[in-house]
Amino acid sequence: MIYDIRHITRFDYGAQVKYARCNLRLKPIDWPGQTLETYDLIVEPVGRTRAAHAEAGLAHVTRLVVDRPVRSLTIESRARMVVDRPVPMPSPSDPTLAEVSALARTSRDLSAAGPANYIFPSPLIPLDPAIAQWCAADLSPERGALEAGFALAGRIQREFAFDPTATLVDTPPAEAFRQRRGVCQDFAQIMITGLRAAGIPAAYASGYIRTLPPPGQARLVGADATHAWVLIWCGPDHGWVGVDPTNGIWMAGDHIIVAVGRDYAEIAPVDGVVLGSGAQKMEVSVDVAPVEELAPITGTPIATTAP
């Protein structure tokens, strides 16, 4: 599938902002099953950008500096992606959770995608005994890794209510778990908490899902915004396998990864420092549209980063 992606973030400030320095993680990374064809980054009314080093996680980081007074700022990211990712198929020959845990502990992969980076708790996803116990019902050590991961995602989808009013971006997993309500970030964090407690490498994936479903299929929860789901390391043969606990489905042709980290803090789409006074209002819109044939994305970017 070929997708055109348009992600717009608009900030309106109650008073003039004299200076802003932000990190943008909006350009999709290279990942198995997806290829970035074109990418444009447009900032209005003013801004200087340059590539920056990702201090943590797997992300393309762009440093944005606004050094002239503004009352509003619009950041628009445009990408064309080719996604060719089959639906995973659990098999009796899959490694068990016990085998995956042992393989992860002995892995010598020191890269940002190495499984050892994702075994232990992280600042936003601490160890929680109540969540670990609840998740353990699906995570028997002798169970196949793919089967167990999908079962846990399905139980979260069935037993938790999607409620955008229940949590904030900094709500800890324990609070969302107590309420049994939240959004995609909460469900991903709860699932990661349980997997790591069982010794299974689990990463936080941020990206997009298809906005409009194919004819006859239900619309996926989480469209029209950035989405979050879970990557489970299932041994060296399978590598990282994605599962979406918000929708109870595998990561396949409808998902596009932008960044991967231990938790949201490492791969937030936009963060930084703003110098000014007054309130701030932020609006985000995302559109992921399938296209039939390749054609150039039009527009006049002030900065373009190469794929």
Side-chain angles (χ1 to χ4, degrees), residues 15 18 33 49 66 78 90 94 116 121 164-165 172 188-189 229 263-264 299-300 303:
K18 298 179 181 179
T49 61
V66 178
R78 301 179 181 180
D94 291 339
T165 67
Q189 291 183 150
W229 59 96
D263 56 38
Y264 175 81
T300 308

Side-chain angles (χ1 to χ4, degrees), residues 155 198 203 206:
R155 187 152 66 100
S206 177

Side-chain angles (χ1 to χ4, degrees), residues 218-238:
R219 192 171 189 268
L220 295 174
V221 177
D224 296 329
T226 53
H227 192 50
W229 59 96
V230 179
L231 297 176
I232 308 170
W233 191 75
C234 295
D237 292 336
H238 289 289

Side-chain angles (χ1 to χ4, degrees), residues 47-270:
R48 294 184 288 107
T49 61
R50 65 174 178 83
H53 176 69
E55 295 181 356
L58 292 158
H60 289 299
V61 182
T62 299
R63 184 67 45 76
L64 167 64
V65 174
V66 178
D67 52 9
R68 287 162 46 188
V70 295
R71 288 291 298 270
S72 67
L73 184 67
T74 300
I75 302 166
E76 181 175 351
S77 174
R78 301 179 181 180
R80 171 158 288 178
M81 298 291 302
V82 178
V83 179
D84 184 9
R85 184 181 295 120
V87 176
M89 298 296 292
S91 166
S93 63
D94 291 339
T96 65
L97 291 178
E99 291 169 336
V100 166
S101 179
L103 288 165
R105 292 195 302 271
T106 58
S107 172
R108 296 188 177 186
D109 183 356
L110 300 180
S111 71
N117 294 322
Y118 304 91
I119 297 175
F120 303 103
S122 58
L124 294 187
I125 308 181
L127 181 64
D128 186 282
I131 296 176
Q133 183 179 12
W134 185 86
C135 293
D138 290 304
L139 302 179
S140 299
E142 68 278 4
R143 197 171 188 182
L146 274 74
E147 176 196 357
F150 192 71
L152 178 57
R155 187 152 66 100
I156 292 173
Q157 192 272 335
R158 292 190 303 272
E159 298 189 19
F160 287 72
F162 186 85
D163 182 356
T165 67
T167 58
L168 301 172
V169 69
D170 58 352
T171 297
E175 177 61 21
F177 179 74
R178 184 189 66 80
Q179 296 186 59
R180 297 297 198 272
R181 312 181 75 81
V183 296
C184 56
Q185 175 180 329
D186 303 302
F187 305 150
Q189 291 183 150
I190 289 168
M191 184 170 178
I192 290 170
T193 300
L195 288 165
R196 290 178 181 170
I200 307 303
Y204 183 99
S206 177
Y208 311 115
I209 54 175
R210 178 175 174 153
T211 302
L212 296 176
Q217 295 187 24
R219 192 171 189 268
L220 295 174
V221 177
D224 296 329
T226 53
H227 192 50
W229 59 96
V230 179
L231 297 176
I232 308 170
W233 191 75
C234 295
D237 292 336
H238 289 289
W240 290 99
V241 178
V243 64
D244 182 344
T246 302
N247 293 286
I249 60 176
W250 295 107
M251 177 187 78
D254 289 329
H255 291 73
I256 298 147
I257 291 180
V258 174
V260 175
R262 293 182 303 159
D263 56 38
Y264 175 81
E266 291 186 345
I267 55 172
V270 181

